């Protein structure tokens, strides 16, 4: 996902939140595969051709024209023309070590930070300053007990990455120079993890930031699915129970999105195909201190969620069985597409992007506006 907490600017062109919501909610009777057409021609989820069958769980949407994706088969791609063309900018040497990229954060078309996940040294962080022409490995995990899941940035300098619990507490990495250097934060301010609790590296949204200091961490796998919150860039944390069911290693909160430091949406469920995911979304209006069940949640497991640009009530949730739309802040949802996606991200200039299995990357916006 793009670096959170950026100053929002007025949209120079493209869909308003209302127009994008209308487009997504419009039936696709006359559409080509992967598209919906709303009044006046807006198009949502136009599939792009990536030229790979990698599964992209990491997505950093910069604008309507620029996005980065990171996924399986050691693959990182970048587009600067709205998805008409994708360039393979995978870090050299990643293929020899079979790295699995699960999250990427981008500040613009040239600067990005990517996270490879896994046990021990499989967890690494890479940074580029030249659009992926070259990469620098800025962190390699040397603790066999750690497994990093997600990363997020408050701005172009300050960011965090999180690992599943080590010695009973989640481990947090911090950077103050845009991902060039990292240090492990003291664990004293982190609440104890529950037995069996962990994060899910499913869509790059188990750790999200909003504003200059607030960050939230999503959990599952234990008796209850929790959301942890820090208001000081990860130094101290508080934990709150979500309403999304857990009690199994495959269930819990998979993705979070906050439109400001108070209003957030959590999505999740049971990621196993064919198993029910009741109460798969929840909302908060107090910064995550308390969570309320959605009155009409998505009908199935969802791993990604994003607020629509410049909207106080519109958001998208995605998962392997489809895309859902809310226009009331996450209280009620309706399925508007059945295509498979793992993650979603929207940009201040009015664009939305989604990515998932088999090289699927789709763009939402106005037809022909990708340049």
């Amino acid at each position: 996902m793009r670096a959170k907490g950026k100053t929002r600017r007025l949209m120079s062109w493209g869909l308003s939140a209302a127009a994008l919501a209308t487009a997504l909610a419009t039936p696709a009777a006359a559409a080509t595969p992967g598209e919906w057409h709303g009044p006046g021609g807006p198009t949502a989820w136009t599939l792009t051709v990536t030229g790979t069958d990698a599964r992209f769980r990491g997505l950093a949407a910069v604008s309507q024209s620029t996005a980065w994706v990171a996924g399986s088969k050691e693959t990182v791609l970048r587009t600067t023309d709205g998805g008409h063309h994708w360039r393979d900018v995978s870090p050299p040497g990643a293929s020899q070590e079979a790295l699995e990229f699960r999250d990427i954060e981008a500040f613009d078309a040239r600067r990005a930070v990517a996270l490879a996940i896994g046990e021990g040294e499989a967890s690494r962080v890479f940074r580029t300053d030249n659009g992926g022409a070259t990469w620098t490995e800025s962190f390699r995990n040397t603790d066999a007990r750690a497994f990093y899941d997600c990363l997020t940035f408050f701005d172009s300098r300050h960011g965090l990455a999180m690992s599943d619990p080590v010695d009973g507490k989640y481990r947090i990495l911090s950077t103050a120079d845009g991902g060039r250097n990292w240090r492990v934060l003291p664990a004293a301010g982190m609440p104890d993890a529950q037995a069996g609790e962990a994060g899910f590296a499913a869509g790059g949204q188990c750790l999200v930031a909003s504003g200059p200091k607030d960050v939230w961490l999503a959990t599952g796998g234990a008796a209850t699915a929790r959301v942890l919150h820090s208001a000081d860039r990860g130094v101290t944390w508080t934990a709150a129970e979500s309403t999304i069911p857990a009690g199994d290693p495959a269930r819990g909160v998979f993705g979070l999105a906050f439109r400001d430091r108070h209003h957030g949406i959590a999505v999740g469920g049971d990621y196993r195909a064919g198993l029910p995911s009741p109460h798969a979304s929840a909302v908060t209006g107090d910064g995550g201190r308390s969570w309320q069940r959605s009155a009409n949640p998505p009908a199935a497991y969802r791993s990604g969620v994003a607020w629509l640009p410049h909207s106080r009530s519109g958001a998208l949730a995605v998962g392997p069985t489809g895309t859902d739309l809310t226009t009331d802040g996450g209280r009620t949802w309706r399925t508007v597409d059945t295509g498979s996606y793992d993650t979603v991200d929207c940009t201040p200039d009015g664009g939305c992007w989604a990515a998932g299995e088999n090289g699927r990357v789709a763009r939402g916006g106005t037809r022909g506006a990708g340049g």
Side-chain angles (χ1 to χ4, degrees):
M1 309 302 157
R2 69 184 186 280
K4 304 301 189 290
K6 292 179 180 177
T7 302
R8 288 192 170 189
R9 60 184 182 275
L10 293 176
M11 289 185 292
S12 60
W13 54 270
L15 289 175
S16 66
L20 182 55
T22 299
L24 281 164
T26 301
T32 57
E35 298 183 348
W36 296 269
H37 299 280
T43 303
W45 282 181
T46 300
L47 285 170
T48 68
V49 178
T50 61
T52 178
D53 62 356
R55 186 165 195 168
F56 294 119
R57 296 182 184 271
L59 167 64
V62 176
S63 67
Q64 292 202 25
S65 60
T66 299
W68 303 65
V69 290
S72 63
K73 302 183 178 182
E74 312 88 31
T75 305
V76 177
L77 306 181
R78 184 194 65 151
T79 182
T80 57
D81 60 5
H84 296 296
H85 302 89
W86 289 91
R87 181 180 179 184
D88 187 338
V89 294
S90 306
S95 59
Q96 283 75 28
E97 302 192 61
L99 296 182
E100 178 84 9
F101 291 104
R102 290 293 183 93
D103 201 357
I104 188 166
E105 304 282 331
F107 312 113
D108 50 41
R110 297 183 60 80
R111 298 176 297 157
V113 180
L115 172 71
I117 62 101
E119 296 178 350
E121 292 191 6
S123 286
R124 305 181 194 183
V125 178
F126 296 82
R127 178 189 165 91
T128 181
D129 289 299
N130 54 15
T134 60
W135 293 83
T136 300
E137 181 183 309
S138 59
F139 172 78
R140 181 181 298 202
N141 174 46
T142 57
D143 190 334
R145 301 168 298 170
F147 186 117
Y148 285 85
D149 298 295
C150 291
L151 59 84
T152 192
F153 275 81
F154 303 93
D155 52 45
S156 62
R157 295 177 55 208
H158 300 92
L160 302 176
M162 59 80 66
S163 163
D164 289 337
V166 176
D167 293 330
K169 295 188 177 184
Y170 288 95
R171 177 169 288 180
I172 303 296
L173 280 180
S174 175
T175 180
D177 57 9
R180 295 177 180 85
N181 296 279
W182 297 85
R183 67 183 181 96
V184 176
L185 294 181
M190 176 66 70
D192 291 339
Q194 302 175 91
E197 190 178 38
F200 293 108
Q205 294 183 318
C206 59
L207 185 72
V208 301
S210 180
K213 294 185 177 182
D214 287 276
V215 59
W216 296 263
L217 189 160
T219 82
T224 60
R226 303 191 298 173
V227 177
L228 280 61
H229 171 239
S230 172
D232 54 13
R233 291 185 184 156
V235 178
T236 60
W237 298 78
T238 56
E241 293 187 7
S242 77
T243 62
I244 295 176
D248 184 278
R251 294 201 296 259
V253 180
F254 283 72
L256 297 167
F258 278 77
R259 66 172 173 82
D260 53 40
R261 68 189 310 263
H262 300 293
H263 298 89
I265 298 173
V267 298
D270 191 319
Y271 71 75
R272 293 169 295 192
L275 293 183
S277 292
H279 314 299
S281 66
V283 298
T284 181
D286 58 12
R289 289 190 296 272
S290 62
W291 293 85
Q292 295 78 45
R293 285 180 176 176
S294 297
N296 183 26
Y301 155 73
R302 295 293 180 253
S303 54
V305 60
W307 291 91
L308 293 178
H310 307 281
S311 174
R312 297 179 62 84
S313 58
L316 299 172
V318 299
T321 62
T323 299
D324 300 288
L325 170 71
T326 180
T327 57
D328 58 12
R331 287 180 285 275
T332 62
W333 297 83
R334 58 181 298 196
T335 301
V336 293
D337 174 54
T338 56
S340 176
Y341 298 102
D342 292 308
T343 186
V344 61
D345 196 16
C346 295
T347 64
D349 68 352
C352 287
W353 297 78
E357 62 183 344
N358 295 320
R360 288 171 61 90
V361 182
R363 172 181 172 272
T366 301
R367 180 191 295 277

